[in-house]
Amino acid sequence: MKNYLLSGLIMTLPLSAYANTVPEKQQEARMLAKEFLGQLKPELGKAMKTGGPIHAVDICHEKAPEIAKNLSEKSGWNVNRVSLKPRAATAKADAWETATMNEFNQLLAEGKDPKTLEKFEIVKIDGQDTYRYMKAIPTGKVCLTCHGETVPAVLEDKIKGFYPHDTAIGYKLGQLRGAFSFQQSVAK
Ligand code: HEC
């Protein structure tokens, strides 16, 4: 059942044609990831600039879930971000997400560009065919302030205040921080 749409296309179309028939749903998910990033990144940048990292924690805490919620309502997809070492309680990965991020890590280790790492698949959830999409989120320089190996104690205290079970510290530049993860029932 897995990937039946994609394998059907591959069977019947020459490869060059397939390249031009990226499924509409995958394209939709890509645009959502772009939109999420396009909304969150400027908020983070602005907050870091005007109030420093401690203030920026407030902004991430407030804006990230808000953006996810608004995009979910607008698009009809369940929009989330997950990680193998989550900070937010909502960021815990399920089995498919864990497997996908392990694949991303493997590809990163093989030298793949993190910007190209994504996965689109039709997966059965509770008997329902479901579109699932993930896109890698690499650790950039600015991210190290709050996710790196040397987070200042006051900042760590601030983070632990919101997220007592935080595990999202200790990352190095370029490592996989997490991934966008979206899903939508096919029948919807
Ligand atoms: C000012 C501190 C701060 C900075 C800088 C920062 N983050 Fe975060 N990050 C947070 C907080 C706080 C959360 C939890 C947000 C929430 O409640 O949804 C978070 C959550 C995340 C998540 C969701 C998964 C999880 O573990 O909860 C990802 C992915 C993520 N950050 C990636 C990044 C990336 C990539 C960068 C750099 C571009 C970055 N962060 C920079 C504070 C920060």
PDB file of all heavy atoms in Angstrom, residues 44 48 53 56-57 60 64-65 81 83 85-88 91 137-138 142-143 146-147 163 177, ligand 1:
ATOM      1  N   LEU A  44      11.702  35.288  15.285  1.00  0.00           N
ATOM      2  CA  LEU A  44      12.864  34.914  16.098  1.00  0.00           C
ATOM      3  C   LEU A  44      13.973  35.951  15.944  1.00  0.00           C
ATOM      4  O   LEU A  44      14.532  36.430  16.940  1.00  0.00           O
ATOM      5  CB  LEU A  44      13.369  33.522  15.684  1.00  0.00           C
ATOM      6  CG  LEU A  44      14.641  33.023  16.374  1.00  0.00           C
ATOM      7  CD1 LEU A  44      14.414  32.811  17.864  1.00  0.00           C
ATOM      8  CD2 LEU A  44      15.127  31.713  15.738  1.00  0.00           C
ATOM      9  N   MET A  48      15.437  38.316  18.949  1.00  0.00           N
ATOM     10  CA  MET A  48      16.843  38.207  19.353  1.00  0.00           C
ATOM     11  C   MET A  48      17.500  39.588  19.309  1.00  0.00           C
ATOM     12  O   MET A  48      18.286  39.943  20.184  1.00  0.00           O
ATOM     13  CB  MET A  48      17.612  37.257  18.426  1.00  0.00           C
ATOM     14  CG  MET A  48      17.222  35.808  18.547  1.00  0.00           C
ATOM     15  SD  MET A  48      17.847  34.986  20.028  1.00  0.00           S
ATOM     16  CE  MET A  48      19.481  34.484  19.490  1.00  0.00           C
ATOM     17  N   PRO A  53      18.289  36.786  23.724  1.00  0.00           N
ATOM     18  CA  PRO A  53      17.798  35.404  23.729  1.00  0.00           C
ATOM     19  C   PRO A  53      16.747  35.104  24.791  1.00  0.00           C
ATOM     20  O   PRO A  53      15.838  34.292  24.538  1.00  0.00           O
ATOM     21  CB  PRO A  53      19.056  34.555  23.954  1.00  0.00           C
ATOM     22  CG  PRO A  53      20.154  35.487  24.277  1.00  0.00           C
ATOM     23  CD  PRO A  53      19.751  36.847  23.814  1.00  0.00           C
ATOM     24  N   ALA A  56      13.640  36.189  23.461  1.00  0.00           N
ATOM     25  CA  ALA A  56      13.316  35.365  22.282  1.00  0.00           C
ATOM     26  C   ALA A  56      12.714  34.017  22.680  1.00  0.00           C
ATOM     27  O   ALA A  56      11.933  33.440  21.928  1.00  0.00           O
ATOM     28  CB  ALA A  56      14.553  35.178  21.410  1.00  0.00           C
ATOM     29  N   VAL A  57      13.072  33.520  23.864  1.00  0.00           N
ATOM     30  CA  VAL A  57      12.458  32.271  24.345  1.00  0.00           C
ATOM     31  C   VAL A  57      10.949  32.482  24.515  1.00  0.00           C
ATOM     32  O   VAL A  57      10.140  31.631  24.114  1.00  0.00           O
ATOM     33  CB  VAL A  57      13.098  31.798  25.679  1.00  0.00           C
ATOM     34  CG1 VAL A  57      12.298  30.645  26.286  1.00  0.00           C
ATOM     35  CG2 VAL A  57      14.535  31.372  25.454  1.00  0.00           C
ATOM     36  N   CYS A  60       9.435  32.424  20.996  1.00  0.00           N
ATOM     37  CA  CYS A  60       9.344  31.054  20.445  1.00  0.00           C
ATOM     38  C   CYS A  60       8.231  30.287  21.143  1.00  0.00           C
ATOM     39  O   CYS A  60       7.447  29.575  20.507  1.00  0.00           O
ATOM     40  CB  CYS A  60      10.651  30.294  20.650  1.00  0.00           C
ATOM     41  SG  CYS A  60      11.878  30.695  19.428  1.00  0.00           S
ATOM     42  N   ALA A  64       5.544  29.944  18.062  1.00  0.00           N
ATOM     43  CA  ALA A  64       5.663  28.684  17.306  1.00  0.00           C
ATOM     44  C   ALA A  64       4.361  27.870  17.363  1.00  0.00           C
ATOM     45  O   ALA A  64       3.844  27.466  16.313  1.00  0.00           O
ATOM     46  CB  ALA A  64       6.869  27.878  17.781  1.00  0.00           C
ATOM     47  N   PRO A  65       3.787  27.664  18.562  1.00  0.00           N
ATOM     48  CA  PRO A  65       2.518  26.904  18.589  1.00  0.00           C
ATOM     49  C   PRO A  65       1.379  27.649  17.898  1.00  0.00           C
ATOM     50  O   PRO A  65       0.518  27.031  17.274  1.00  0.00           O
ATOM     51  CB  PRO A  65       2.216  26.762  20.094  1.00  0.00           C
ATOM     52  CG  PRO A  65       3.487  27.058  20.802  1.00  0.00           C
ATOM     53  CD  PRO A  65       4.248  27.995  19.916  1.00  0.00           C
ATOM     54  N   ARG A  81       5.995  20.473  14.353  1.00  0.00           N
ATOM     55  CA  ARG A  81       7.444  20.272  14.255  1.00  0.00           C
ATOM     56  C   ARG A  81       7.809  19.215  15.290  1.00  0.00           C
ATOM     57  O   ARG A  81       7.280  19.238  16.407  1.00  0.00           O
ATOM     58  CB  ARG A  81       8.220  21.558  14.565  1.00  0.00           C
ATOM     59  CG  ARG A  81       8.004  22.678  13.558  1.00  0.00           C
ATOM     60  CD  ARG A  81       8.890  23.876  13.865  1.00  0.00           C
ATOM     61  NE  ARG A  81       8.709  24.363  15.223  1.00  0.00           N
ATOM     62  CZ  ARG A  81       9.537  25.197  15.848  1.00  0.00           C
ATOM     63  NH1 ARG A  81      10.607  25.653  15.228  1.00  0.00           N
ATOM     64  NH2 ARG A  81       9.295  25.590  17.081  1.00  0.00           N
ATOM     65  N   SER A  83      11.066  16.371  16.898  1.00  0.00           N
ATOM     66  CA  SER A  83      12.503  16.175  17.059  1.00  0.00           C
ATOM     67  C   SER A  83      12.773  14.843  17.745  1.00  0.00           C
ATOM     68  O   SER A  83      11.930  14.337  18.496  1.00  0.00           O
ATOM     69  CB  SER A  83      13.073  17.320  17.895  1.00  0.00           C
ATOM     70  OG  SER A  83      14.456  17.110  18.135  1.00  0.00           O
ATOM     71  N   LYS A  85      15.097  14.775  19.855  1.00  0.00           N
ATOM     72  CA  LYS A  85      15.382  15.295  21.208  1.00  0.00           C
ATOM     73  C   LYS A  85      14.504  16.529  21.421  1.00  0.00           C
ATOM     74  O   LYS A  85      14.934  17.668  21.273  1.00  0.00           O
ATOM     75  CB  LYS A  85      16.864  15.700  21.323  1.00  0.00           C
ATOM     76  CG  LYS A  85      17.813  14.514  21.258  1.00  0.00           C
ATOM     77  CD  LYS A  85      19.171  14.821  21.911  1.00  0.00           C
ATOM     78  CE  LYS A  85      19.851  16.056  21.372  1.00  0.00           C
ATOM     79  NZ  LYS A  85      20.707  16.712  22.374  1.00  0.00           N
ATOM     80  N   PRO A  86      13.226  16.308  21.754  1.00  0.00           N
ATOM     81  CA  PRO A  86      12.264  17.412  21.754  1.00  0.00           C
ATOM     82  C   PRO A  86      12.423  18.387  22.920  1.00  0.00           C
ATOM     83  O   PRO A  86      12.929  18.018  23.974  1.00  0.00           O
ATOM     84  CB  PRO A  86      10.914  16.699  21.839  1.00  0.00           C
ATOM     85  CG  PRO A  86      11.191  15.390  22.455  1.00  0.00           C
ATOM     86  CD  PRO A  86      12.594  15.019  22.073  1.00  0.00           C
ATOM     87  N   ARG A  87      11.969  19.589  22.679  1.00  0.00           N
ATOM     88  CA  ARG A  87      11.817  20.613  23.722  1.00  0.00           C
ATOM     89  C   ARG A  87      10.335  20.687  24.100  1.00  0.00           C
ATOM     90  O   ARG A  87       9.969  20.380  25.208  1.00  0.00           O
ATOM     91  CB  ARG A  87      12.329  21.962  23.217  1.00  0.00           C
ATOM     92  CG  ARG A  87      12.034  23.131  24.144  1.00  0.00           C
ATOM     93  CD  ARG A  87      12.991  24.291  23.880  1.00  0.00           C
ATOM     94  NE  ARG A  87      14.352  23.916  24.227  1.00  0.00           N
ATOM     95  CZ  ARG A  87      15.445  24.618  23.897  1.00  0.00           C
ATOM     96  NH1 ARG A  87      15.319  25.731  23.214  1.00  0.00           N
ATOM     97  NH2 ARG A  87      16.637  24.209  24.231  1.00  0.00           N
ATOM     98  N   ALA A  88       9.499  21.076  23.150  1.00  0.00           N
ATOM     99  CA  ALA A  88       8.057  21.169  23.407  1.00  0.00           C
ATOM    100  C   ALA A  88       7.459  19.769  23.568  1.00  0.00           C
ATOM    101  O   ALA A  88       7.897  18.827  22.910  1.00  0.00           O
ATOM    102  CB  ALA A  88       7.386  21.893  22.241  1.00  0.00           C
ATOM    103  N   ALA A  91       6.360  18.030  20.476  1.00  0.00           N
ATOM    104  CA  ALA A  91       7.382  17.719  19.465  1.00  0.00           C
ATOM    105  C   ALA A  91       7.895  16.286  19.532  1.00  0.00           C
ATOM    106  O   ALA A  91       8.841  15.932  18.833  1.00  0.00           O
ATOM    107  CB  ALA A  91       8.552  18.698  19.594  1.00  0.00           C
ATOM    108  N   ILE A 137      14.959  20.059   9.442  1.00  0.00           N
ATOM    109  CA  ILE A 137      15.311  21.380   9.954  1.00  0.00           C
ATOM    110  C   ILE A 137      16.728  21.287  10.535  1.00  0.00           C
ATOM    111  O   ILE A 137      16.931  20.717  11.608  1.00  0.00           O
ATOM    112  CB  ILE A 137      14.337  21.845  11.062  1.00  0.00           C
ATOM    113  CG1 ILE A 137      12.894  21.863  10.546  1.00  0.00           C
ATOM    114  CG2 ILE A 137      14.739  23.227  11.578  1.00  0.00           C
ATOM    115  CD1 ILE A 137      11.843  22.210  11.622  1.00  0.00           C
ATOM    116  N   PRO A 138      17.714  21.831   9.807  1.00  0.00           N
ATOM    117  CA  PRO A 138      19.087  21.753  10.299  1.00  0.00           C
ATOM    118  C   PRO A 138      19.382  22.811  11.367  1.00  0.00           C
ATOM    119  O   PRO A 138      18.662  23.801  11.476  1.00  0.00           O
ATOM    120  CB  PRO A 138      19.932  22.002   9.040  1.00  0.00           C
ATOM    121  CG  PRO A 138      19.037  22.750   8.111  1.00  0.00           C
ATOM    122  CD  PRO A 138      17.615  22.435   8.476  1.00  0.00           C
ATOM    123  N   VAL A 142      22.563  30.658  14.517  1.00  0.00           N
ATOM    124  CA  VAL A 142      21.734  31.386  15.494  1.00  0.00           C
ATOM    125  C   VAL A 142      21.002  30.420  16.445  1.00  0.00           C
ATOM    126  O   VAL A 142      20.708  30.768  17.591  1.00  0.00           O
ATOM    127  CB  VAL A 142      20.723  32.325  14.777  1.00  0.00           C
ATOM    128  CG1 VAL A 142      19.772  31.528  13.892  1.00  0.00           C
ATOM    129  CG2 VAL A 142      19.934  33.154  15.756  1.00  0.00           C
ATOM    130  N   CYS A 143      20.782  29.223  15.986  1.00  0.00           N
ATOM    131  CA  CYS A 143      20.058  28.221  16.785  1.00  0.00           C
ATOM    132  C   CYS A 143      20.870  27.752  17.990  1.00  0.00           C
ATOM    133  O   CYS A 143      20.308  27.309  18.995  1.00  0.00           O
ATOM    134  CB  CYS A 143      19.692  27.005  15.930  1.00  0.00           C
ATOM    135  SG  CYS A 143      19.224  27.400  14.228  1.00  0.00           S
ATOM    136  N   CYS A 146      20.266  28.723  21.807  1.00  0.00           N
ATOM    137  CA  CYS A 146      19.264  28.038  22.636  1.00  0.00           C
ATOM    138  C   CYS A 146      19.253  26.526  22.477  1.00  0.00           C
ATOM    139  O   CYS A 146      18.516  25.838  23.178  1.00  0.00           O
ATOM    140  CB  CYS A 146      17.869  28.558  22.297  1.00  0.00           C
ATOM    141  SG  CYS A 146      17.629  30.287  22.670  1.00  0.00           S
ATOM    142  N   HIS A 147      20.014  25.993  21.519  1.00  0.00           N
ATOM    143  CA  HIS A 147      20.013  24.538  21.295  1.00  0.00           C
ATOM    144  C   HIS A 147      21.426  23.966  21.278  1.00  0.00           C
ATOM    145  O   HIS A 147      21.618  22.779  21.037  1.00  0.00           O
ATOM    146  CB  HIS A 147      19.339  24.201  19.954  1.00  0.00           C
ATOM    147  CG  HIS A 147      17.871  24.522  19.896  1.00  0.00           C
ATOM    148  ND1 HIS A 147      16.926  23.871  20.660  1.00  0.00           N
ATOM    149  CD2 HIS A 147      17.176  25.439  19.153  1.00  0.00           C
ATOM    150  CE1 HIS A 147      15.709  24.350  20.377  1.00  0.00           C
ATOM    151  NE2 HIS A 147      15.849  25.315  19.478  1.00  0.00           N
ATOM    152  N   TYR A 163       9.832  24.507  29.839  1.00  0.00           N
ATOM    153  CA  TYR A 163       9.981  23.124  29.367  1.00  0.00           C
ATOM    154  C   TYR A 163      10.862  22.333  30.340  1.00  0.00           C
ATOM    155  O   TYR A 163      12.042  22.111  30.080  1.00  0.00           O
ATOM    156  CB  TYR A 163      10.609  23.083  27.971  1.00  0.00           C
ATOM    157  CG  TYR A 163       9.967  24.042  26.986  1.00  0.00           C
ATOM    158  CD1 TYR A 163      10.492  25.330  26.795  1.00  0.00           C
ATOM    159  CD2 TYR A 163       8.830  23.684  26.271  1.00  0.00           C
ATOM    160  CE1 TYR A 163       9.902  26.221  25.915  1.00  0.00           C
ATOM    161  CE2 TYR A 163       8.237  24.569  25.392  1.00  0.00           C
ATOM    162  CZ  TYR A 163       8.769  25.842  25.214  1.00  0.00           C
ATOM    163  OH  TYR A 163       8.183  26.718  24.348  1.00  0.00           O
ATOM    164  N   ARG A 177      18.242  19.356  13.713  1.00  0.00           N
ATOM    165  CA  ARG A 177      17.569  19.804  14.949  1.00  0.00           C
ATOM    166  C   ARG A 177      16.213  19.134  15.088  1.00  0.00           C
ATOM    167  O   ARG A 177      15.751  18.836  16.182  1.00  0.00           O
ATOM    168  CB  ARG A 177      17.480  21.342  14.897  1.00  0.00           C
ATOM    169  CG  ARG A 177      16.727  22.142  16.000  1.00  0.00           C
ATOM    170  CD  ARG A 177      17.262  21.940  17.382  1.00  0.00           C
ATOM    171  NE  ARG A 177      16.593  20.857  18.027  1.00  0.00           N
ATOM    172  CZ  ARG A 177      15.403  20.907  18.637  1.00  0.00           C
ATOM    173  NH1 ARG A 177      14.736  22.019  18.740  1.00  0.00           N
ATOM    174  NH2 ARG A 177      14.869  19.828  19.175  1.00  0.00           N
TER     175      ARG A 177
HETATM  176  C1  HEC B   1      15.775  32.107  21.771  1.00  0.00           C
HETATM  177  C2  HEC B   1      15.940  30.702  21.888  1.00  0.00           C
HETATM  178  C3  HEC B   1      15.814  29.859  20.639  1.00  0.00           C
HETATM  179  C4  HEC B   1      16.516  29.973  19.484  1.00  0.00           C
HETATM  180  C5  HEC B   1      17.588  30.997  19.129  1.00  0.00           C
HETATM  181  C6  HEC B   1      16.085  28.895  18.635  1.00  0.00           C
HETATM  182  N1  HEC B   1      15.136  28.137  19.263  1.00  0.00           N
HETATM  183 FE1  HEC B   1      14.256  26.447  18.568  1.00  0.00          FE
HETATM  184  N2  HEC B   1      13.058  26.394  20.173  1.00  0.00           N
HETATM  185  C7  HEC B   1      13.063  27.318  21.204  1.00  0.00           C
HETATM  186  C8  HEC B   1      11.895  27.105  22.038  1.00  0.00           C
HETATM  187  C9  HEC B   1      11.514  27.905  23.254  1.00  0.00           C
HETATM  188  C10 HEC B   1      11.187  26.034  21.456  1.00  0.00           C
HETATM  189  C11 HEC B   1       9.838  25.439  21.895  1.00  0.00           C
HETATM  190  C12 HEC B   1       8.725  26.087  21.079  1.00  0.00           C
HETATM  191  C13 HEC B   1       7.346  25.549  21.352  1.00  0.00           C
HETATM  192  O1  HEC B   1       6.871  25.638  22.489  1.00  0.00           O
HETATM  193  O2  HEC B   1       6.721  25.054  20.392  1.00  0.00           O
HETATM  194  C14 HEC B   1      11.942  25.618  20.302  1.00  0.00           C
HETATM  195  C15 HEC B   1      11.561  24.555  19.485  1.00  0.00           C
HETATM  196  C16 HEC B   1      12.187  24.232  18.313  1.00  0.00           C
HETATM  197  C17 HEC B   1      11.766  23.151  17.433  1.00  0.00           C
HETATM  198  C18 HEC B   1      10.555  22.234  17.621  1.00  0.00           C
HETATM  199  C19 HEC B   1      10.962  20.899  18.156  1.00  0.00           C
HETATM  200  C20 HEC B   1      11.214  20.894  19.639  1.00  0.00           C
HETATM  201  O3  HEC B   1      12.268  20.353  20.008  1.00  0.00           O
HETATM  202  O4  HEC B   1      10.365  21.410  20.420  1.00  0.00           O
HETATM  203  C21 HEC B   1      12.628  23.147  16.391  1.00  0.00           C
HETATM  204  C22 HEC B   1      12.610  22.194  15.205  1.00  0.00           C
HETATM  205  C23 HEC B   1      13.561  24.233  16.596  1.00  0.00           C
HETATM  206  N3  HEC B   1      13.273  24.859  17.786  1.00  0.00           N
HETATM  207  C24 HEC B   1      14.559  24.575  15.712  1.00  0.00           C
HETATM  208  C25 HEC B   1      15.312  25.722  15.836  1.00  0.00           C
HETATM  209  C26 HEC B   1      16.201  26.186  14.790  1.00  0.00           C
HETATM  210  C27 HEC B   1      16.448  25.492  13.473  1.00  0.00           C
HETATM  211  C28 HEC B   1      16.743  27.352  15.234  1.00  0.00           C
HETATM  212  C29 HEC B   1      17.674  28.291  14.494  1.00  0.00           C
HETATM  213  C30 HEC B   1      17.180  28.819  13.237  1.00  0.00           C
HETATM  214  C31 HEC B   1      16.203  27.606  16.579  1.00  0.00           C
HETATM  215  N4  HEC B   1      15.340  26.597  16.877  1.00  0.00           N
HETATM  216  C32 HEC B   1      16.545  28.675  17.357  1.00  0.00           C
HETATM  217  C33 HEC B   1      14.018  28.270  21.427  1.00  0.00           C
HETATM  218  C34 HEC B   1      14.928  28.704  20.486  1.00  0.00           C
END
